[in-house]
Amino acid sequence: MNIGFIGTGNMGTILIESFINGNAVKPEQLFITNRTLEKAYNIQKRYPDIHVMATNEEVAKHATIVFICTKPLHVPAVLKQLRPHLTGHHCIVSITSPISVQQLESLVPCHVVRVIPSITNRALAGSTLITVSERCTEANRTTIEQLFRSISRPIYIDEPITRIASDLTSCGPAFFSYLIQKFIDAAVQQTSITKEQATTLATNMIIGLGALLEQQLYTLPTLQEKVCVKGGITGAGIDVLEKEVGDLFVHVFQKTHEKFYEETEKVRQQIDNIRD
């Protein structure tokens, strides 16, 4: 089974590295390309057996599963370019949320799956969100699921929750790394602790928190109950959070959804232009 990657930016590279490190594929099974070929060759320097292709069409000629890891607005044009080279044996895997599997199906004559990965997959952890098209066979569905099970916990989702599920799994690491950085910065600002010390302590805390949840020793609510002593120091901090966090995440989700709908409309226009 040969696998192609069109687009070797951040997420394309993360998936390539993760699949190799998770023993899901061997480097010689991968056929990759990028608009700036230098990026693809940089990956080949680390994994010499990977094949770098000069064009998108060459990737489709050598690989039956083709990952499209470009920016959302570039996807329709890439699929239009690939369409003459795709057969019923191909399976296109898109990793962008603003394009539905139904829209993808309308652009290509083959099987279609959308998978939304997360940067946490680089550590062979976290979730991936899978939506399959009606045209996709059970065999292709199983193959894609097995690939992502090697680097994550695949979760099947329906179209209506695509954006919020992506916020929680894919955007979440950026949101919470930002909050943790603010947590560290405040500690340095208010006390004599060094930034290095604060970063080490906060990082170890987050790793430990993840272990507690992964091992199901506590849920999020019971963990708060265990740490908070009535009238204690942690409780005083929680009081501040309750007052000041407020609708913070409501506003975050409102903004991400607003941007999502903007991109969805732009993609729809691109697809309409291609059909015309």
Side-chain angles (χ1 to χ4, degrees):
M1 176 183 65
N2 291 336
I3 298 175
F5 277 85
I6 295 175
T8 56
N10 288 339
M11 194 50 70
T13 299
I14 285 170
L15 288 176
I16 290 168
E17 293 171 340
S18 300
F19 285 143
I20 293 173
N21 291 352
N23 296 316
V25 298
K26 297 177 180 178
E28 57 264 31
Q29 293 176 273
L30 296 176
F31 294 78
I32 69 174
T33 193
N34 193 73
R35 189 167 55 175
T36 304
L37 278 177
E38 183 182 356
K39 289 185 177 181
Y41 283 118
N42 285 338
I43 296 174
Q44 191 186 51
K45 289 177 183 177
R46 301 197 300 278
Y47 306 103
D49 291 333
I50 283 180
H51 308 277
V52 175
M53 301 288 101
T55 67
N56 297 342
E57 293 91 337
E58 287 185 40
V59 170
K61 289 177 183 177
H62 288 86
T64 51
I65 296 176
V66 181
F67 282 80
I68 310 298
C69 302
T70 64
K71 293 180 180 179
L73 292 180
H74 295 163
V75 172
V78 169
L79 293 182
K80 180 182 179 182
Q81 183 184 32
L82 289 180
R83 188 162 53 197
H85 307 276
L86 298 174
T87 70
H89 298 293
H90 282 94
C91 181
I92 292 292
V93 183
S94 169
I95 66 166
T96 186
S97 64
I99 307 180
S100 69
V101 290
Q102 290 79 14
Q103 288 175 313
L104 292 166
E105 271 194 330
S106 73
L107 294 171
V108 293
C110 59
H111 309 280
V112 169
V113 179
R114 185 183 62 199
V115 182
I116 301 171
S118 166
I119 195 172
T120 56
N121 303 156
R122 185 62 184 85
L124 310 185
S127 298
T128 44
L129 308 174
I130 301 179
T131 306
V132 295
S133 68
E134 293 183 3
R135 194 189 297 157
C136 186
T137 63
E138 189 63 32
N140 273 314
R141 173 176 175 154
T142 299
T143 298
I144 299 302
E145 181 179 325
Q146 288 175 343
L147 271 176
F148 281 93
R149 195 169 293 283
S150 70
I151 66 170
S152 67
R153 294 177 181 176
I155 296 175
Y156 286 90
I157 62 167
D158 295 326
E159 197 65 45
I161 66 165
T162 296
R163 184 61 256 152
I164 189 62
S166 301
D167 286 340
L168 292 168
T169 61
S170 189
C171 300
F175 295 155
F176 281 90
S177 63
Y178 177 84
L179 292 175
I180 294 164
Q181 190 60 61
K182 288 294 185 181
F183 188 46
I184 292 167
D185 292 344
V188 173
Q189 179 184 345
Q190 293 296 314
T191 72
S192 60
I193 196 169
T194 67
K195 189 167 187 176
E196 182 180 7
Q197 290 172 321
T199 300
T200 298
L201 294 175
T203 300
N204 290 342
M205 178 274 295
I206 288 296
I207 293 170
L209 173 60
L212 288 173
L213 296 172
E214 183 176 34
Q215 295 172 36
Q216 298 183 343
L217 297 173
Y218 302 105
T219 64
L220 289 172
T222 56
L223 193 147
Q224 292 175 44
E225 291 173 7
K226 291 291 184 181
V227 177
C228 287
V229 178
K230 188 175 182 179
I233 293 173
T234 305
I238 290 289
D239 288 342
V240 174
L241 290 175
E242 287 182 342
K243 292 175 183 176
E244 299 198 12
V245 169
D247 291 333
L248 170 65
F249 286 109
V250 171
H251 297 153
V252 167
F253 293 143
Q254 287 173 343
K255 184 58 70 172
T256 59
H257 278 63
E258 178 184 324
K259 182 64 175 177
F260 173 71
Y261 293 130
E262 286 178 7
E263 292 206 351
T264 299
E265 178 58 23
K266 290 178 182 177
V267 167
R268 186 194 63 77
Q269 291 174 9
Q270 292 254 358
I271 292 174
D272 288 346
N273 290 336
I274 287 176
R275 288 172 181 162
D276 294 341

